[in-house]
Amino acid sequence: MKKISIVYLMLSLLPLSSLFAQAKNPYTPSDKTVVSQGKELYFKMGCNGCHGAGGGGGMCPSFIDDTWVFGSDDQTLFKLIKGQIPQQTMPRMFGGVLTDDEIWKIITFVRYCKVAASEQAGGTSGQINIDKKSCAIVEADPHWLRAVLPKLTGYQSQYVLVFDGTSKNYSSAEDSKLAGSTLAVLDNSSGKEIASLLHAKPKVYPDKERELGKPVEDLLAGKVDGAILWAPLAAFYTMELDSSRKLKMIAFSKAYPAPKGFEGQEQSSMVYVTKCADALLNVLKVYNVAPK
């Protein structure tokens, strides 16, 4: 009895936060810093391999629609990631690797994806017909990504200037006003050559498979004045990141070779590859970029 009393006394003196996980997410999808941290954790833990880069689903369900297996509230999502629901099929190892705070950040990114998908579905500046599930599956495997992008007929040798259309305006991709500006370019692409011709300052990003969208992310964050991107890559990452249609694209008049690793068309009979390629063509059309 004395032992039980002592244990009870010790527990009663501990703060509830040390006994139970925080019941409410301390973050909101409007906190872009937390969303970015949550996204980094989401990819680091490989969540995109099952649920897709933007949450559109793949081997596992989408979390940007209204269909949920166990429930969509924050507490249920926390328990799923923590591995605390007996019937779940999602790996339970995350609960032993991630801190509670990291789990809440991932959930915040999940909430952000849902909001972004809803905004994009509204078509505020032109409707984009996207098979989100197909493109999410494609991004989960670099082999499929390299099979999709060269399939965009007419765009294999086309580069585009991407910029924030709400704060800047250019008459063409070769506008003299671009001189001296900082333009994001991917390594092993023609972006550096084009930036030099424009007398602009290239900010070079590594062409690592999981970081190909970084130029678009930094452009949206105001860290660069614009980006010079291969048109298929521009389509893929503006589709994922520019849900409010803030960005504009203008094609360069001269043709340039595709980035290294994307020159040849890898053959794939997967229906996802074809559907995603069709979606990307629709994205470029909405951004008023016509094929050569």
Side-chain angles (χ1 to χ4, degrees), residues 63-287:
F63 52 68
I64 59 174
D65 57 24
D66 296 317
T67 303
W68 297 82
V69 177
F70 296 101
S72 61
D73 59 282
D74 282 354
Q75 291 72 27
T76 298
L77 296 188
F78 184 94
K79 289 178 181 178
L80 279 167
I81 298 173
K82 198 75 172 173
Q84 296 175 338
I85 295 182
Q87 302 87 354
Q88 73 181 70
T89 55
M90 193 164 78
R92 300 175 188 276
M93 52 81 63
F94 298 123
V97 176
L98 295 165
T99 65
D100 288 1
D101 187 63
E102 288 174 328
I103 292 175
W104 286 126
K105 287 177 178 178
I106 291 175
I107 292 173
T108 302
F109 172 65
V110 168
R111 298 304 187 204
Y112 172 80
C113 289
K114 170 67 173 174
V115 172
S118 298
E119 289 176 351
Q120 186 158 298
T124 55
S125 301
Q127 188 65 37
I128 299 178
N129 180 21
I130 297 174
D131 186 325
K132 289 180 174 292
K133 182 176 180 180
S134 293
C135 286
I137 292 173
V138 162
E139 189 173 28
D141 190 319
H143 175 80
W144 294 337
L145 187 62
R146 294 180 186 278
V148 165
L149 299 183
K151 287 174 73 73
L152 272 63
T153 305
Y155 291 96
Q156 291 94 333
S157 58
Q158 185 167 316
Y159 279 71
V160 293
L161 171 70
V162 188
F163 60 96
D164 182 347
T166 64
S167 61
K168 295 180 177 64
N169 188 31
Y170 299 109
S171 59
S172 71
E174 291 87 1
D175 197 312
S176 59
K177 289 187 289 186
L178 288 161
S181 61
T182 301
L183 301 178
V185 300
L186 283 171
D187 199 12
N188 289 325
S189 74
S190 297
K192 290 181 285 186
E193 177 188 347
I194 301 171
S196 177
L197 293 172
L198 294 172
H199 303 290
K201 303 171 187 175
K203 183 176 180 180
V204 182
Y205 292 78
D207 58 346
K208 295 180 180 178
E209 288 158 351
R210 299 300 181 195
E211 298 179 22
L212 293 173
K214 187 65 175 172
V216 177
E217 288 183 359
D218 280 4
L219 176 55
L220 286 166
K223 295 180 180 179
V224 291
D225 299 313
I228 300 172
L229 298 173
W230 185 44
L233 276 172
F236 201 101
Y237 290 103
T238 52
M239 174 193 69
E240 178 186 354
L241 300 169
D242 187 28
S243 59
S244 63
R245 294 290 316 284
K246 180 180 179 182
L247 302 178
K248 286 188 177 180
M249 291 186 201
I250 305 178
F252 287 93
S253 57
K254 182 180 175 181
Y256 293 90
K260 290 182 180 178
F262 291 95
E263 306 96 330
Q265 181 173 322
E266 294 190 31
Q267 297 299 317
S268 175
S269 58
M270 281 192 61
V271 67
Y272 295 124
V273 169
T274 302
K275 285 186 176 181
C276 184
D278 289 343
L280 296 179
L281 285 171
N282 286 332
V283 171
L284 288 166
K285 289 175 184 177
V286 168
Y287 282 90

Side-chain angles (χ1 to χ4, degrees), residues 1-15:
M1 290 296 292
K2 287 183 178 180
K3 288 183 179 180
I4 294 175
S5 299
I6 292 172
V7 170
Y8 178 80
L9 177 62
M10 290 176 65
L11 290 175
S12 67
L13 294 174
L14 289 171

